[in-house]
Amino acid sequence: MKRPLILITNDDGIHSPGLRAAAEAAADMADIVIAAPHTQQTGMGRAFPDTEDMGVIETESMDINGRMVQAYGVHGSPALAAAHGILELAGRRPDLCVSGINYGENMGAVLTCSGTLGAAFEAVSHNVPAIAVSLETDLKIQRSNDFQAADFGPAAEVLRTWTARVLEEGMPENVDILNINVPADPRSPGEYRITTQSRQNYIEFIRPGKRELDRPFSMKSRLYVDEETLERESDIYAVYVDKVASVTPLNIVMSVEMIP
């Protein structure tokens, strides 16, 4: 009987310590194939930018739990890396896609911007269920290629719990993606809460001041939570307020029933 196969991907790039942490968390439960963007691709969502080097794939060996595993750095977005991983590099359709462990939370309305979730949604479009997993980090380092030290242990622990459950039982009914977000300093490592997606942005753009409109400009952003209106059952409340890991079930179908 074949072992399950897991695609490990992310949006921080092939050299991210979070990617290695995800691979190490899953490697004893399944065969793994690692395919991730060759450089930092935070905030790309499920985009497919048409670049001159699009689709170039670099190979390298990665030490995962003392075993050398071939990893693929795909020139392109996280979604493109997931597509190449599933259609070209895996050899057979993966049983699960794990996207992460991301530097930075992906919660509330901002998750539609997330390359971590973009890769997960791309996997689902190929009938591969996905787990996206992110670790709370400072906004200043979330887009950096200078990977600062982070404790991925608590995130890896929750990831292992849900990876084992999905491999054994499959995804819960009507769920395509499990979006896991873990506080940097959880009150009880390994503890998690099933949550809903908040409607708050969590990370929002700051209104630009006076500037020359014909000059390049980068919109600044900030973390903002309105605790008075924050939904108590939400992902943001769990991580930001209660300091407990959040597991949010998501579905690729975004339509809702509406009374005529």
mmCIF file of all heavy atoms in Angstrom, residues 72-98:
data_model
loop_
_atom_site.group_PDB
_atom_site.id
_atom_site.type_symbol
_atom_site.label_atom_id
_atom_site.label_comp_id
_atom_site.label_asym_id
_atom_site.label_seq_id
_atom_site.Cartn_x
_atom_site.Cartn_y
_atom_site.Cartn_z
ATOM 1 N N TYR A 72 11.975 21.849 -5.190
ATOM 2 C CA TYR A 72 11.862 22.569 -6.456
ATOM 3 C C TYR A 72 11.505 24.028 -6.200
ATOM 4 O O TYR A 72 10.492 24.324 -5.567
ATOM 5 C CB TYR A 72 10.787 21.931 -7.337
ATOM 6 C CG TYR A 72 11.038 20.472 -7.653
ATOM 7 C CD1 TYR A 72 10.518 19.467 -6.844
ATOM 8 C CD2 TYR A 72 11.799 20.105 -8.756
ATOM 9 C CE1 TYR A 72 10.741 18.123 -7.131
ATOM 10 C CE2 TYR A 72 12.039 18.771 -9.056
ATOM 11 C CZ TYR A 72 11.509 17.788 -8.237
ATOM 12 O OH TYR A 72 11.740 16.456 -8.520
ATOM 13 N N GLY A 73 12.339 24.930 -6.699
ATOM 14 C CA GLY A 73 12.066 26.360 -6.628
ATOM 15 C C GLY A 73 11.484 26.827 -7.949
ATOM 16 O O GLY A 73 12.181 26.880 -8.969
ATOM 17 N N VAL A 74 10.210 27.153 -7.949
ATOM 18 C CA VAL A 74 9.493 27.519 -9.177
ATOM 19 C C VAL A 74 9.527 29.032 -9.355
ATOM 20 O O VAL A 74 9.160 29.779 -8.441
ATOM 21 C CB VAL A 74 8.033 27.031 -9.114
ATOM 22 C CG1 VAL A 74 7.285 27.425 -10.383
ATOM 23 C CG2 VAL A 74 7.975 25.519 -8.915
ATOM 24 N N HIS A 75 9.952 29.474 -10.533
ATOM 25 C CA HIS A 75 9.907 30.892 -10.850
ATOM 26 C C HIS A 75 8.453 31.264 -11.143
ATOM 27 O O HIS A 75 7.904 30.917 -12.191
ATOM 28 C CB HIS A 75 10.790 31.212 -12.057
ATOM 29 C CG HIS A 75 12.251 31.137 -11.764
ATOM 30 N ND1 HIS A 75 13.135 32.159 -12.064
ATOM 31 C CD2 HIS A 75 13.008 30.155 -11.184
ATOM 32 C CE1 HIS A 75 14.358 31.809 -11.696
ATOM 33 N NE2 HIS A 75 14.303 30.599 -11.154
ATOM 34 N N GLY A 76 7.834 31.947 -10.202
ATOM 35 C CA GLY A 76 6.430 32.300 -10.369
ATOM 36 C C GLY A 76 5.758 32.436 -9.023
ATOM 37 O O GLY A 76 6.396 32.398 -7.964
ATOM 38 N N SER A 77 4.465 32.575 -9.062
ATOM 39 C CA SER A 77 3.673 32.822 -7.871
ATOM 40 C C SER A 77 3.487 31.557 -7.043
ATOM 41 O O SER A 77 3.755 30.444 -7.515
ATOM 42 C CB SER A 77 2.305 33.361 -8.283
ATOM 43 O OG SER A 77 1.567 32.343 -8.953
ATOM 44 N N PRO A 78 2.986 31.693 -5.808
ATOM 45 C CA PRO A 78 2.682 30.505 -5.010
ATOM 46 C C PRO A 78 1.689 29.577 -5.706
ATOM 47 O O PRO A 78 1.845 28.346 -5.661
ATOM 48 C CB PRO A 78 2.092 31.090 -3.727
ATOM 49 C CG PRO A 78 2.700 32.449 -3.627
ATOM 50 C CD PRO A 78 2.814 32.938 -5.033
ATOM 51 N N ALA A 79 0.666 30.140 -6.340
ATOM 52 C CA ALA A 79 -0.317 29.308 -7.039
ATOM 53 C C ALA A 79 0.335 28.544 -8.183
ATOM 54 O O ALA A 79 0.033 27.365 -8.419
ATOM 55 C CB ALA A 79 -1.464 30.168 -7.561
ATOM 56 N N LEU A 80 1.249 29.201 -8.889
ATOM 57 C CA LEU A 80 1.939 28.521 -9.991
ATOM 58 C C LEU A 80 2.823 27.399 -9.456
ATOM 59 O O LEU A 80 2.901 26.316 -10.044
ATOM 60 C CB LEU A 80 2.769 29.517 -10.799
ATOM 61 C CG LEU A 80 3.433 28.936 -12.052
ATOM 62 C CD1 LEU A 80 2.374 28.559 -13.088
ATOM 63 C CD2 LEU A 80 4.428 29.917 -12.658
ATOM 64 N N ALA A 81 3.490 27.646 -8.329
ATOM 65 C CA ALA A 81 4.325 26.606 -7.723
ATOM 66 C C ALA A 81 3.471 25.399 -7.339
ATOM 67 O O ALA A 81 3.872 24.249 -7.559
ATOM 68 C CB ALA A 81 5.042 27.162 -6.492
ATOM 69 N N ALA A 82 2.281 25.659 -6.777
ATOM 70 C CA ALA A 82 1.394 24.565 -6.423
ATOM 71 C C ALA A 82 0.936 23.804 -7.665
ATOM 72 O O ALA A 82 0.887 22.565 -7.666
ATOM 73 C CB ALA A 82 0.186 25.102 -5.655
ATOM 74 N N ALA A 83 0.626 24.535 -8.728
ATOM 75 C CA ALA A 83 0.178 23.890 -9.971
ATOM 76 C C ALA A 83 1.270 23.003 -10.553
ATOM 77 O O ALA A 83 1.015 21.852 -10.951
ATOM 78 C CB ALA A 83 -0.252 24.941 -10.988
ATOM 79 N N HIS A 84 2.506 23.509 -10.624
ATOM 80 C CA HIS A 84 3.609 22.689 -11.133
ATOM 81 C C HIS A 84 3.859 21.494 -10.212
ATOM 82 O O HIS A 84 4.154 20.384 -10.690
ATOM 83 C CB HIS A 84 4.881 23.523 -11.264
ATOM 84 C CG HIS A 84 4.941 24.345 -12.514
ATOM 85 N ND1 HIS A 84 5.221 23.798 -13.749
ATOM 86 C CD2 HIS A 84 4.746 25.669 -12.730
ATOM 87 C CE1 HIS A 84 5.206 24.754 -14.662
ATOM 88 N NE2 HIS A 84 4.917 25.897 -14.068
ATOM 89 N N GLY A 85 3.749 21.729 -8.906
ATOM 90 C CA GLY A 85 3.952 20.627 -7.975
ATOM 91 C C GLY A 85 2.973 19.495 -8.204
ATOM 92 O O GLY A 85 3.349 18.310 -8.214
ATOM 93 N N ILE A 86 1.706 19.843 -8.415
ATOM 94 C CA ILE A 86 0.660 18.831 -8.584
ATOM 95 C C ILE A 86 0.703 18.191 -9.962
ATOM 96 O O ILE A 86 0.616 16.963 -10.112
ATOM 97 C CB ILE A 86 -0.725 19.458 -8.318
ATOM 98 C CG1 ILE A 86 -0.849 19.843 -6.842
ATOM 99 C CG2 ILE A 86 -1.853 18.499 -8.716
ATOM 100 C CD1 ILE A 86 -2.030 20.738 -6.529
ATOM 101 N N LEU A 87 0.834 19.007 -11.005
ATOM 102 C CA LEU A 87 0.687 18.516 -12.381
ATOM 103 C C LEU A 87 1.974 17.979 -12.989
ATOM 104 O O LEU A 87 1.920 17.161 -13.911
ATOM 105 C CB LEU A 87 0.141 19.639 -13.275
ATOM 106 C CG LEU A 87 -1.236 20.187 -12.896
ATOM 107 C CD1 LEU A 87 -1.587 21.374 -13.790
ATOM 108 C CD2 LEU A 87 -2.299 19.100 -13.014
ATOM 109 N N GLU A 88 3.122 18.400 -12.473
ATOM 110 C CA GLU A 88 4.381 18.058 -13.134
ATOM 111 C C GLU A 88 5.387 17.354 -12.245
ATOM 112 O O GLU A 88 6.084 16.429 -12.696
ATOM 113 C CB GLU A 88 5.014 19.345 -13.682
ATOM 114 C CG GLU A 88 6.304 19.126 -14.454
ATOM 115 C CD GLU A 88 6.880 20.406 -15.030
ATOM 116 O OE1 GLU A 88 6.515 21.507 -14.551
ATOM 117 O OE2 GLU A 88 7.718 20.305 -15.948
ATOM 118 N N LEU A 89 5.475 17.754 -10.990
ATOM 119 C CA LEU A 89 6.599 17.320 -10.160
ATOM 120 C C LEU A 89 6.281 16.175 -9.212
ATOM 121 O O LEU A 89 7.181 15.423 -8.828
ATOM 122 C CB LEU A 89 7.122 18.518 -9.343
ATOM 123 C CG LEU A 89 7.571 19.723 -10.181
ATOM 124 C CD1 LEU A 89 7.856 20.916 -9.281
ATOM 125 C CD2 LEU A 89 8.785 19.368 -11.023
ATOM 126 N N ALA A 90 5.027 16.016 -8.836
ATOM 127 C CA ALA A 90 4.682 15.032 -7.816
ATOM 128 C C ALA A 90 4.700 13.595 -8.335
ATOM 129 O O ALA A 90 4.906 12.669 -7.563
ATOM 130 C CB ALA A 90 3.308 15.349 -7.220
ATOM 131 N N GLY A 91 4.452 13.398 -9.617
ATOM 132 C CA GLY A 91 4.415 12.044 -10.152
ATOM 133 C C GLY A 91 3.050 11.394 -10.031
ATOM 134 O O GLY A 91 2.648 10.600 -10.872
ATOM 135 N N ARG A 92 2.346 11.695 -8.986
ATOM 136 C CA ARG A 92 0.957 11.261 -8.792
ATOM 137 C C ARG A 92 0.245 12.350 -8.010
ATOM 138 O O ARG A 92 0.890 13.204 -7.387
ATOM 139 C CB ARG A 92 0.875 9.929 -8.046
ATOM 140 C CG ARG A 92 1.567 9.899 -6.683
ATOM 141 C CD ARG A 92 1.576 8.503 -6.097
ATOM 142 N NE ARG A 92 2.429 8.366 -4.935
ATOM 143 C CZ ARG A 92 2.011 8.394 -3.669
ATOM 144 N NH1 ARG A 92 0.700 8.583 -3.409
ATOM 145 N NH2 ARG A 92 2.852 8.234 -2.670
ATOM 146 N N ARG A 93 -1.079 12.343 -8.060
ATOM 147 C CA ARG A 93 -1.806 13.418 -7.398
ATOM 148 C C ARG A 93 -1.619 13.329 -5.893
ATOM 149 O O ARG A 93 -1.872 12.281 -5.288
ATOM 150 C CB ARG A 93 -3.296 13.357 -7.735
ATOM 151 C CG ARG A 93 -4.046 14.599 -7.238
ATOM 152 C CD ARG A 93 -5.446 14.663 -7.788
ATOM 153 N NE ARG A 93 -6.319 13.695 -7.150
ATOM 154 C CZ ARG A 93 -7.578 13.478 -7.486
ATOM 155 N NH1 ARG A 93 -8.105 14.152 -8.501
ATOM 156 N NH2 ARG A 93 -8.305 12.584 -6.853
ATOM 157 N N PRO A 94 -1.186 14.421 -5.264
ATOM 158 C CA PRO A 94 -1.013 14.411 -3.808
ATOM 159 C C PRO A 94 -2.343 14.184 -3.091
ATOM 160 O O PRO A 94 -3.413 14.548 -3.585
ATOM 161 C CB PRO A 94 -0.459 15.810 -3.509
ATOM 162 C CG PRO A 94 0.170 16.256 -4.792
ATOM 163 C CD PRO A 94 -0.709 15.673 -5.870
ATOM 164 N N ASP A 95 -2.246 13.609 -1.917
ATOM 165 C CA ASP A 95 -3.422 13.421 -1.077
ATOM 166 C C ASP A 95 -3.751 14.684 -0.285
ATOM 167 O O ASP A 95 -4.878 14.854 0.189
ATOM 168 C CB ASP A 95 -3.184 12.268 -0.107
ATOM 169 C CG ASP A 95 -2.953 10.956 -0.847
ATOM 170 O OD1 ASP A 95 -3.939 10.337 -1.272
ATOM 171 O OD2 ASP A 95 -1.768 10.580 -1.018
ATOM 172 N N LEU A 96 -2.755 15.561 -0.149
ATOM 173 C CA LEU A 96 -2.927 16.768 0.655
ATOM 174 C C LEU A 96 -1.871 17.786 0.247
ATOM 175 O O LEU A 96 -0.751 17.413 -0.120
ATOM 176 C CB LEU A 96 -2.780 16.437 2.144
ATOM 177 C CG LEU A 96 -2.890 17.575 3.156
ATOM 178 C CD1 LEU A 96 -4.308 18.154 3.174
ATOM 179 C CD2 LEU A 96 -2.504 17.091 4.554
ATOM 180 N N CYS A 97 -2.244 19.050 0.310
ATOM 181 C CA CYS A 97 -1.283 20.145 0.138
ATOM 182 C C CYS A 97 -1.155 20.876 1.465
ATOM 183 O O CYS A 97 -2.164 21.209 2.098
ATOM 184 C CB CYS A 97 -1.759 21.109 -0.947
ATOM 185 S SG CYS A 97 -0.820 22.667 -1.041
ATOM 186 N N VAL A 98 0.082 21.116 1.898
ATOM 187 C CA VAL A 98 0.341 21.936 3.078
ATOM 188 C C VAL A 98 1.060 23.192 2.607
ATOM 189 O O VAL A 98 2.136 23.117 2.003
ATOM 190 C CB VAL A 98 1.195 21.187 4.118
ATOM 191 C CG1 VAL A 98 1.659 22.150 5.214
ATOM 192 C CG2 VAL A 98 0.404 20.042 4.730
#
